[in-house]
Every structure is written in C-alpha cells, then in structure tokens.
Amino acid sequence: MTTIRTVGFIGAGAITAAVINGIRSKDTALTIHVSPRSEESSTALAANFPNVFRETSNADVVSKSEIVVLAMRPAQLEAALSGLTFKPEHTIVSFVATVPLAKIAKLVAPASKVCRVTPLTTIEKGRGPIVMTPALDSAVALFEGLGDLLVADTDEQMMAFGCAAGLLSTFFELEHTVAQWLVATGISPASASLYVRSMFSGLANSALENRSLGLATLADRNETPGGLNEKVRVALRDSGFFTRIESVLTELSSLALVPPSES
Ligand SMILES: NC(=O)c1ccc[n+]([C@@H]2O[C@H](COP(=O)([O-])OP(=O)(O)OC[C@H]3O[C@@H](n4cnc5c(N)ncnc54)[C@H](OP(=O)(O)O)[C@@H]3O)[C@@H](O)[C@H]2O)c1
C-alpha cells in the first residue's frame, strides 16, 4: 500500500478548498501545503486546519510535497509553473481542464509520474465521481475514499467525462423548474423546495445503491404503463428533450477538444 505524507496545491481556489475539505475528513495525518494564491482561500484553509500550511511561494509548495496538485485555470498554468523545479520522484496531479497529459508532462519534467484528475466539488463531502488518467498508485491512494474513483484510458475520455459534468447546472435548473411549478399550484416555496430536493436525492441514491441494474432498467421500473411517469417520459422524448442532451454534449466535446491556446 502506498503511503503519502505530503501533498501540495498550486492554486487554492474553489476545487482545492473542496478537495482539502474532503481529504481532511479521511486523513488528518497528511501534511498539506498550499500556494499563497488565492490569498483569502489559502489563509482560511490554513487557519481552519492544523495540518494545512500556507506557503510563501509556489516553489516552497513544490519543494515540500511528494504529490503536487496543479489547481489553476488553463490560462494560468504556464505562468504558475514558470521557474519551478520538479524532481523525478514527484507525482504531479493536474486538475487543469482541457490541457492534455503530454503538455503537462512537458511542463513538469523531469517529474515523470504525471496524471490528470477531475473531481467535482462534491468531493468536499466524500461524494461524486473522480476521474483519473492514468491510474498512478500514489494518486489513487490520495483520492481513494473521497468519492467514486474511475479511471479514463485517454485524454479524450477525460474530456467526455468533463462534458458530462456540463450538466450540473442543468440538473439544478430542472429542480428549480419543478419546484416553481409546485409553487404555482399553491404549495409553499419551502415545501416545494424540500419535496424536489428530497425526491431527486432519493433517486440518485437508489441509482448508486443498485449499480447492477442498468439505468434504462431503473427508468422502466419507475413507471407504470399508462401512468404519470410514462406520460412525462414519452412526452419529453417525443419533444426531442433527450436527443438534444446528446447533441449538446457532442457539440461541447468538439469545442472542448480545442486546446485553450487555440480557442
Ligand atoms: N471547480 C470545479 O468544480 C473543478 C472541477 C474539476 C477541475 N477543475 C479545474 O481545476 C482548476 C481550478 O478550478 P477552480 O474552480 O478551483 O478555479 P479558481 O477558483 O479560479 O482557482 C484557481 C486558483 O489558481 C490560482 N492561481 C492563479 N494563478 C496562479 C499562480 N501563478 N500561482 C499560484 N496560484 C495561481 C488562483 O489564485 P488568484 O485567486 O489569486 O488568482 C486561484 O486560487 C481549473 O483548471 C478547472 O478547470 C475545477
């Protein structure tokens, strides 16, 4: 079993804060070094957790960490890594969306253990998917238990998973639409909101708990022929609702495959 003692984050924004909160509830023995940027977020993380240290430079994060996580936006990557010296024994984990593994490997040479990882902010509560390519022992040890860890075979697969995550806000818009409709029937906003949150949460949990059942089977099992659910699903299917989701994801994946410097 791989044991990690130190991990460093260059970029202490939204996803770093979520990951550190997730790690903290799993492993309080790990020492975590964070870059001075973002000032507010890195200061808060160091103040809240005794094993998180705000360093004075990105170079200090690198020199003090076995695993270095790159957690800045794509356009910030090269400036953040400029002048840093990596060692062959470093493991580098890139959260940076759209930047291929080969480009990251070039920027962090001679470090040769390099992978991409895409968590969601749900990692904060130890939930949600975490996609990794390739599966490096040390990175697996760090992220195991923080959610559902999946391994992608290629950058293209990472991109496809990333495009699927483009549905996060649509999910909440769907919840909002249903809740607003309930309110329009005269139900109180509090009851409408709780009903919708609880219903979708229960369904999502049951999908995870019944992984041996296909998702199409779960859809069939949640409707009665001629019943309300069948009416809604058929009406939405006939309106092109589901095929439009597929075509939007396809459009997104072709856009996302253009590297940031060319987009
Ligand atoms: N948010 C998500 O759910 C999520 C999920 C998976 C992957 N990702 C990827 O993770 C990366 C970060 O996302 P995010 O949402 O956390 O963005 P964010 O909140 O904007 O965080 C970016 C961080 O990078 C810092 N930074 C910028 N330039 C830097 C430099 N030269 N040295 C050190 N730090 C620097 C920023 O500091 P300042 O505030 O001082 O500029 C900020 O703390 C992105 O590539 C994103 O695609 C995000």
Side-chain angles (χ1 to χ4, degrees), residues 20 39 102 158 182 209-210 222 230:
I20 289 178
E39 183 177 351
M158 288 297 281
L182 286 172
E209 285 157 10
N210 294 290
N222 278 277
E230 189 191 66

Side-chain angles (χ1 to χ4, degrees), residues 14-26 49 119-128 146-147:
I15 196 65
T16 291
V19 171
I20 289 178
N21 274 285
I23 291 173
R24 275 280 312 169
S25 48
K26 180 186 99 164
F49 303 128
L120 301 181
T121 49
T122 48
I123 195 171
E124 186 174 22
K125 301 283 179 201
R127 285 198 287 263
L146 298 180

Side-chain angles (χ1 to χ4, degrees), residues 234-262:
V234 168
L236 288 176
R237 184 195 291 145
D238 290 351
S239 75
F241 181 85
F242 299 110
T243 50
R244 184 64 188 127
I245 292 173
E246 287 172 359
S247 63
V248 168
L249 290 177
T250 303
E251 286 161 25
L252 200 60
S253 64
S254 59
L255 287 177
L257 283 169
V258 179
S261 56
E262 295 169 28

Side-chain angles (χ1 to χ4, degrees), residues 30-254:
L30 192 68
T31 299
I32 300 172
H33 303 281
V34 291
S35 64
R37 291 177 63 180
S38 303
E39 183 177 351
E40 197 181 324
S41 167
S42 57
T43 303
L45 285 164
N48 290 340
F49 303 128
N51 61 333
V52 176
F53 299 92
R54 179 174 189 257
E55 302 301 336
T56 52
S57 67
N58 293 345
D60 281 350
V61 173
V62 173
S63 69
K64 293 179 181 181
S65 308
E66 296 160 271
I67 298 184
V68 179
V69 180
L70 311 180
M72 66 296 292
R73 296 180 186 196
Q76 301 166 327
L77 173 68
E78 297 200 22
L81 297 190
S82 156
L84 297 183
T85 306
F86 294 93
K87 294 186 180 149
E89 55 271 27
H90 271 125
T91 293
I92 309 297
V93 169
S94 171
F95 285 170
V96 186
T98 71
V99 179
L101 200 57
K103 177 162 182 182
I104 301 288
K106 213 168 155 183
L107 290 170
V108 299
S112 58
K113 290 178 281 177
V114 183
C115 69
R116 294 180 61 193
V117 173
T118 305
L120 301 181
T121 49
T122 48
I123 195 171
E124 186 174 22
K125 301 283 179 201
R127 285 198 287 263
I130 303 162
V131 193
M132 178 182 292
T133 191
L136 301 180
D137 288 347
S138 46
V140 168
L142 180 64
F143 288 97
E144 218 162 32
L146 298 180
D148 296 306
L149 189 58
L150 298 105
V151 177
D153 296 331
T154 59
D155 279 318
E156 286 72 19
Q157 289 187 3
M158 288 297 281
M159 201 64 82
F161 283 120
C163 290
L167 282 167
L168 299 185
S169 59
T170 299
F171 166 77
F172 288 113
E173 177 78 27
L174 175 63
E175 288 204 334
H176 176 66
T177 304
V178 180
Q180 289 298 101
W181 180 83
L182 286 172
V183 170
T185 69
I187 292 170
S188 75
S191 295
S193 175
L194 177 60
Y195 186 86
V196 168
R197 287 166 199 250
S198 181
M199 175 177 78
F200 282 111
S201 167
L203 291 175
N205 281 332
S206 105
L208 267 179
E209 285 157 10
N210 294 290
R211 286 185 220 191
S212 59
L213 294 177
L215 292 167
T217 305
L218 284 173
D220 291 339
R221 286 199 179 182
N222 278 277
E223 70 185 22
T224 312
L228 290 176
N229 275 276
E230 189 191 66
K231 283 191 199 314
V232 173
R233 183 156 67 132
V234 168
L236 288 176
R237 184 195 291 145
D238 290 351
S239 75
F241 181 85
F242 299 110
T243 50
R244 184 64 188 127
I245 292 173
E246 287 172 359
S247 63
V248 168
L249 290 177
T250 303
E251 286 161 25
L252 200 60
S253 64
S254 59

